[in-house]
Amino acid sequence: MKFTELPLSEDVLAGIAKAGYTECTPVQEKVLPISLSGKDVMVQSKTGSGKTAVFLLTILEKYSRNRSGAALIVSPTRELAVQIEEDARVLAAGFPDYRIGCFYGGVGYKEQNEELSSGLNLYVGTPGRLLDFAKSNKLDFRVFDTIVLDEADRMFDMGFYPDVQSMFAQMVPSSERQTMLFSATLSTKVRNLAWQYMSEPEEIAVQPEEITVKNITQELFHVTKDEKFSLFLSILKKLNPSSCLIFTNTKDRAVEVAKRLSMNGYKAEYLMGDMPQSKRLKTLEKMKEGKLPYLVATDVAARGLQIDDLELVVNYDIPEDYENYVHRIGRTARAGKTGKAITLACEEYIYGLEAIEDYIQMKIPVLWPDEVGLESVEDKSAGYHYRSYRSSGRGRDDRKDSSRSRGGKNTRKTQRISKSRKPQKNEDSVIEKSNTDFSKLSEMSLDERMAYYKKQYAPSAAPKSEKKRPQPKKAQKPAVQKAPKDSMRKAPEPKVEEVKTEVKSARKGLFSRIKARIFGA
Ligand code: ADP
Ligand code: MG
């Protein structure tokens, strides 16, 4: 369907032409006829399917007809808010007087204050800053006749539910406004929100998430944690991508990978949720302009980012939340293009793989380094590891990165360890120069590989001093093996020695799970 077949005014069509769109994407074709009629809509469609234009065009067409009213778009992250604002400026090209403002935290209030007092047609913002302005009576939520909640699922993940509730409580009743909700997934939580705050919304689900991965070549390498970086270097040497987004599960790992890439001569930077706003925007801009080929990010930092023509996505760590796998690899192959996603499966995060494969309803093809002609590359950063020693300033990335996690708990344990004393050899957090050539690992049979993993992580391989240490309290040990997630959260903070033994014993149990996975038991 062409945009010209929709009931859109000339001025709106001018903006669409400026954006270079001619044909509707499936979600646009399905939702626009309904949203343009003024109905509430609850929309689920995959990342990159063109949801932004659905709500922006609805808002602009309404403006074109009434020349009055104000619209509010709530976004979970600053980047996404900025992106929406950018898109809005393009699509509003036919309305020279249309006023758009963007409101997010992490920057001063002054400029945004001035913008607010001047009166706008479209307000885009993150929940925290919008509520701040409402509290100081600079913003009145009752002025809005159109409300958009973008990435509703992410709002929950990031803990914005109370903020969202608080905003809705300050608005005019749902029957007096049009409310539109957009999400990559429609969870029960998101549906509940819709029931609570929307007026007989029409639910439109366009394509299941699985279809997202169709245009993406997915590959997976099994590798030990110690050898992950050198394998990554070999992959980069072979593929030499012009743009590559790398995902890690923790902020520290993101910094580390970016630094190690730089040490090896790759131009790389990292992006995290708690970085100063100006720096994040600058980094992103560089990537978009093609000046920065490698960007390392956590899930939260990268959410909603739009980098066109991204050639390669690397899951340096397997995401612990299976939905994030689709969000991550969906950064490539946007708007129908093809792309490539490589996943590095190490012993720390392999446990997330099964849920991912269930979710995408396919096995990710496994490649072996020697079979695809990967060569060993000298790692100029061998032995380097990064660990931030701040643990109090836990940003959103931490919150997200540790939620629903399994292996991630181990990481947090080791962060505690490294706070209390210097990391020692063989410890979880230390990257050691490894003697094992990963290509050898790929030559091994599965049995040999399992034996290798076992040898590396069996308690007998631990440093001697380890054995003399007191065993963890009886009550903790079985609890950890059965349900590491909950018991670790609830257990009183154990002493350093106990933590370390605990991690080891948790690992032991996990090996049988790796084995079960590999052998398909
Ligand atoms: P979503 O919010 O669903 O993840 P976006 O709205 O960010 O996706 O759109 C993804 C990309 O597709 C953007 O680069 C956008 O400019 C582009 N796009 C959206 N609609 C169209 C269209 N009708 N034709 C071509 N490109 C489009
Ligand atoms: Mg979007």
Side-chain angles (χ1 to χ4, degrees):
M1 189 199 257
K2 288 198 179 344
F3 283 101
T4 45
E5 295 170 52
L6 285 163
L8 293 169
S9 67
E10 286 302 314
D11 291 338
V12 173
L13 288 171
I16 294 171
K18 176 118 194 256
Y21 306 162
T22 48
E23 295 275 337
C24 291
T25 65
V27 70
Q28 291 160 358
E29 180 173 336
K30 254 185 156 170
V31 183
L32 277 169
I34 302 164
S35 61
L36 285 170
S37 76
K39 282 194 77 148
D40 283 9
V41 289
M42 171 165 62
V43 181
Q44 181 248 308
S45 81
K46 59 183 182 170
T47 303
S49 56
K51 294 189 283 295
T52 316
V54 173
F55 55 78
L56 287 177
L57 293 176
T58 305
I59 290 168
L60 288 167
E61 181 58 30
K62 227 175 181 173
Y63 173 77
S64 160
R65 292 174 196 174
N66 307 332
R67 299 281 163 173
S68 68
L72 172 69
I73 300 166
V74 186
S75 133
T77 65
R78 297 177 272 192
E79 279 80 11
L80 184 60
V82 170
Q83 208 130 59
I84 293 168
E85 186 200 7
E86 276 176 20
D87 288 355
R89 292 201 188 278
V90 175
L91 289 174
F95 305 96
D97 298 331
Y98 195 75
R99 299 177 55 85
I100 304 165
C102 198
F103 308 94
Y104 43 79
V107 293
Y109 284 81
K110 193 166 171 280
E111 220 171 282
Q112 296 182 3
N113 240 329
E114 281 163 16
E115 236 177 343
L116 266 184
S117 55
S118 67
L120 300 166
N121 302 107
L122 176 59
Y123 299 68
V124 187
T126 54
R129 183 55 66 103
L130 290 168
L131 282 168
D132 278 354
F133 280 124
K135 225 183 243 166
S136 54
N137 294 321
K138 301 253 163 52
L139 178 69
D140 182 352
F141 283 107
R142 284 172 304 182
V143 303
F144 300 117
D145 58 11
T146 311
I147 307 289
V148 173
L149 265 194
D150 197 16
E151 308 238 9
D153 49 356
R154 194 56 36 169
M155 299 268 189
F156 282 102
D157 289 354
M158 294 178 67
F160 286 138
Y161 187 49
D163 288 354
V164 169
Q165 278 183 310
S166 166
M167 281 189 284
F168 275 118
Q170 299 175 50
M171 291 172 193
V172 294
S174 61
S175 56
E176 291 168 32
R177 59 168 200 253
Q178 182 180 19
T179 312
M180 296 182 268
L181 182 153
F182 295 81
S183 195
T185 54
L186 286 183
S187 60
T188 313
K189 278 184 200 163
V190 173
R191 283 208 174 83
N192 281 340
L193 183 84
W195 283 327
Q196 238 181 319
Y197 299 111
M198 298 176 82
S199 173
E200 295 172 37
E202 190 127 344
E203 183 177 325
I204 303 141
V206 172
Q207 283 153 323
E209 278 285 338
E210 298 91 88
I211 293 173
T212 317
V213 304
K214 261 193 176 164
N215 293 337
I216 303 170
T217 310
Q218 300 174 73
E219 295 172 351
L220 182 139
F221 289 91
H222 286 288
V223 64
T224 65
K225 194 176 156 187
D226 286 345
E227 289 154 339
K228 204 146 79 160
F229 191 77
S230 60
L231 172 63
F232 183 38
L233 285 180
S234 301
I235 293 170
L236 289 185
K237 190 180 176 200
K238 174 129 198 275
L239 296 181
N240 191 23
S242 56
S243 59
C244 176
L245 184 57
I246 300 132
F247 285 95
T248 63
N249 288 356
T250 61
K251 296 196 278 188
D252 280 359
R253 187 71 59 83
V255 177
E256 179 178 299
V257 170
K259 292 198 174 191
R260 293 185 74 178
L261 280 172
S262 302
M263 288 160 133
N264 281 283
Y266 290 99
K267 210 169 169 195
E269 289 186 29
Y270 54 85
L271 195 72
M272 281 179 308
D274 59 0
M275 270 165 57
Q277 176 65 6
S278 53
K279 179 146 193 246
R280 295 206 296 175
L281 290 178
K282 232 197 236 156
T283 307
L284 205 61
E285 213 41 52
K286 272 193 272 182
M287 184 103 188
K288 280 185 180 175
E289 287 167 7
K291 289 178 191 156
L292 178 68
Y294 296 91
L295 185 59
V296 193
T298 59
D299 291 295
V300 170
R303 177 70 190 186
L305 292 189
Q306 183 181 307
I307 303 158
D308 290 333
D309 298 321
L310 188 62
E311 193 176 317
L312 178 67
V313 169
V314 173
N315 290 305
Y316 191 83
D317 297 325
I318 292 184
E320 293 172 297
D321 176 344
Y322 55 86
E323 286 175 359
N324 276 341
Y325 177 78
V326 174
H327 290 312
R328 287 177 176 190
I329 74 170
R331 306 288 99 199
T332 179
R334 308 270 288 181
K337 291 186 186 119
T338 54
K340 190 172 186 129
I342 293 181
T343 299
L344 305 181
C346 70
E347 66 278 11
E348 189 179 10
Y349 292 116
I350 190 155
Y351 315 104
L353 186 57
E354 207 169 303
I356 291 168
E357 292 184 336
D358 281 350
Y359 184 58
I360 60 173
Q361 290 175 15
M362 64 175 283
K363 292 264 170 219
I364 305 170
V366 175
L367 298 186
W368 301 101
D370 55 340
E371 282 171 18
V372 292
L374 289 187
E375 293 161 30
S376 288
V377 178
E378 192 206 344
D379 175 10
K380 296 190 178 98
S381 69
Y384 173 83
H385 85 105
Y386 174 83
R387 182 144 308 277
S388 70
Y389 284 79
R390 337 155 260 137
S391 67
S392 50
R394 288 164 61 78
R396 299 224 179 265
D397 294 86
D398 268 334
R399 255 199 262 168
K400 175 60 198 150
D401 289 336
S402 56
S403 73
R404 286 194 241 175
S405 82
R406 274 160 278 189
K409 298 290 171 195
N410 288 355
T411 314
R412 274 163 65 190
K413 295 281 171 200
T414 43
Q415 279 177 344
R416 262 186 230 140
I417 291 168
S418 55
K419 249 178 36 183
S420 29
R421 65 184 161 89
K422 274 194 166 169
Q424 289 172 8
K425 238 187 158 211
N426 257 11
E427 200 165 88
D428 210 23
S429 61
V430 184
I431 290 167
E432 289 176 76
K433 200 173 157 76
S434 167
N435 297 323
T436 320
D437 174 5
F438 62 78
S439 62
K440 280 200 197 109
L441 207 59
S442 70
E443 283 162 19
M444 294 177 187
S445 68
L446 284 177
D447 275 329
E448 285 166 341
R449 278 175 72 83
M450 287 315 299
Y452 170 83
Y453 277 121
K454 269 189 177 160
K455 206 172 120 208
Q456 281 238 315
Y457 295 100
S460 59
K464 283 217 171 96
S465 56
E466 184 80 4
K467 288 180 189 157
K468 286 180 205 143
R469 284 183 186 146
Q471 287 298 304
K473 279 175 214 144
K474 274 237 159 76
Q476 281 176 7
K477 203 175 171 186
V480 166
Q481 281 171 330
K482 269 187 217 133
K485 186 175 169 181
D486 287 329
S487 62
M488 282 195 186
R489 186 185 299 137
K490 284 169 202 152
E493 186 133 336
K495 288 190 203 103
V496 167
E497 289 82 2
E498 286 172 358
V499 168
K500 196 163 171 192
T501 324
E502 213 176 73
V503 170
K504 291 259 182 225
S505 60
R507 254 199 207 137
K508 234 169 102 188
L510 295 175
F511 269 105
S512 54
R513 278 198 268 156
I514 287 198
K515 196 167 181 181
R517 213 199 93 73
I518 291 177
F519 293 114

